[in-house]
Amino acid sequence: MEPQYISLMLGLLLAAFLTLSSATSPHDNFLRCLSLSSNQSSSIARVVFTPDNSSYSTILESRIRNHRFWTTDTPKPFVIVTPLLASHIQATIHCSRNHGLQLRIRSGGHDYEGLSFVSHVRFVLVDLINFRSVDVDVENRVAWVQSGAILGELYYKIAEKNKTLAFPGGICHTVGIGGYMSGGGYGLLFRKYGLAADNVIDARLIDVYGRILDRQSMGEDVFWAIRGGGGGSFGIVLSWKLKLVSVPPIGTLFTVRRTLEQNAINLIHKWQYVAPKMPHGMYFDVALSQVKSTRDGKKTVVSSFIAFFLGSTDELVPLMHERFPELGIRKKDCIEMSWIESIIYLGKIRNQPLEVLLDRDFQTPLTLPSYKSKSDYVKELISEIGLKGLWTSFSENEAEFGVIYFFSYGGIMDEIPESSTPFPHRAGNLYKIIYNVGWKEQDNINSDKYIDWIRRIYGYMGTYVSKSPREAYINYRDLDIGTNSEGNTTSYARASVWGRKYFKNNFDRLVLAKTMIDPENFFRHEQSIPPLWKKE
């Protein structure tokens, strides 16, 4: 063949290739990368969903726990991956890096600001729904649990094997293990055994380079960082090795309610003195909410005093009479039940079999479909005058589905050094405050008025809570306290504004750990830890 014809043929082939390449969609290119990068190319195709797939919207919505982030204007993932194997995650990280895509990692979908499933830049959602195995070793009092499991699955597996072993986690059984552990995690047993993160003894992490690391290979600094430094900054934790703790066969629970007419403000003022000094085995909180009076139907505020005690009614009632006689706890106010039963009772899933803990879609009345939360820490007693201001706020219409929780500290939390994990809120705190307001989904168009209500309360409370910094809890994420810059890249100075509120002096060590494990800052979002090279 003549050289000129060869050149012509090559030109035509090149043109055809370029035409074909230009017609290939970005989704096709990404999917091709996943297939080539995974040593399980046939299986990965079954767990990748683009917007054209009929299951895409169902998978996305199924674990959105806050419908404030489920609107027509909410950014949606470029692709959803529900991995079955670690190699699927490794391939997703590799291809996302190569295609300039950010990652969002979702275990249970409870991130209070939606950062586990929403981004304002193009992103891939890694949903860990299939990483949910739980392996309980009763003899050695440990459990390995994958990040996609929910707390209820962990609790059920423990109780199935031993009724006097437990894990110090929270009462909302649908919360995902991955995010919960990453932020510290507190619950009924935290005054006795510390946070969930205090009881993590190993983990398996996939880093930005696709390496699977355990505690030894990731190093103590990174292992320290993932136990309370917040999710989405250091890699994807596949599984956690947990230390199980002992509980008696029977504990005792009470919930008593008091209104303003029943001296509620004085009782809460006294609660501040009493609750942090109670025995380590007692969880004791107060919840404020708006209700309608049974007498005239007008709005009033009720204070619910809620306690769970690792002991019998015969032990608890004399203790309450000695320490807090004003509350008037009687034997008939108390209910004896096991630790696992208390999770069901306080989680508002009463009259259900134990198997309800396995139902990650079970709807509880703890929160409405849409909500906004904020948090505070209290180091000095709030005066009765200060507490009265909260009552005034609950007279407003926006408070119909509002609630404020006071969670007492003390116990072993006073004994664990604040540098033991990134979670620094230990000795010196009397209690934590959680502000929450919800609204019905059809009222999303008016969400600003509810958010403004909770911001007004938060502003009012500034006089009475921690200062310099005004501390906050990372698992009750709040973008009001600061965010990273556009595209989620940020400087050390900007990140430290919100970072010191969550982590205090532990923030600097988190930055060093980030620099070690993810120097390129691939794992990032609006409140992710920056690497050291971003320091200014």
Side-chain angles (χ1 to χ4, degrees), residues 32 86 93 122 187 221 231 302 339 409 428 480:
R32 186 179 299 109
I93 292 172
R122 201 163 66 155
D221 286 320
V302 65
W339 166 77
Y409 266 52
D480 290 351

Side-chain angles (χ1 to χ4, degrees), residues 483-496 498 507 521 524-531 533-536:
T483 63
N484 295 341
S485 57
E486 187 70 26
N488 304 327
T489 58
T490 192
S491 67
Y492 168 93
R494 180 160 180 158
S496 65
W498 57 263
F507 178 71
N521 199 29
R524 64 186 187 270
H525 54 68
E526 286 83 346
Q527 284 188 344
S528 59
I529 303 296
W533 59 267
K534 287 291 183 181
K535 189 168 183 175
E536 294 178 348

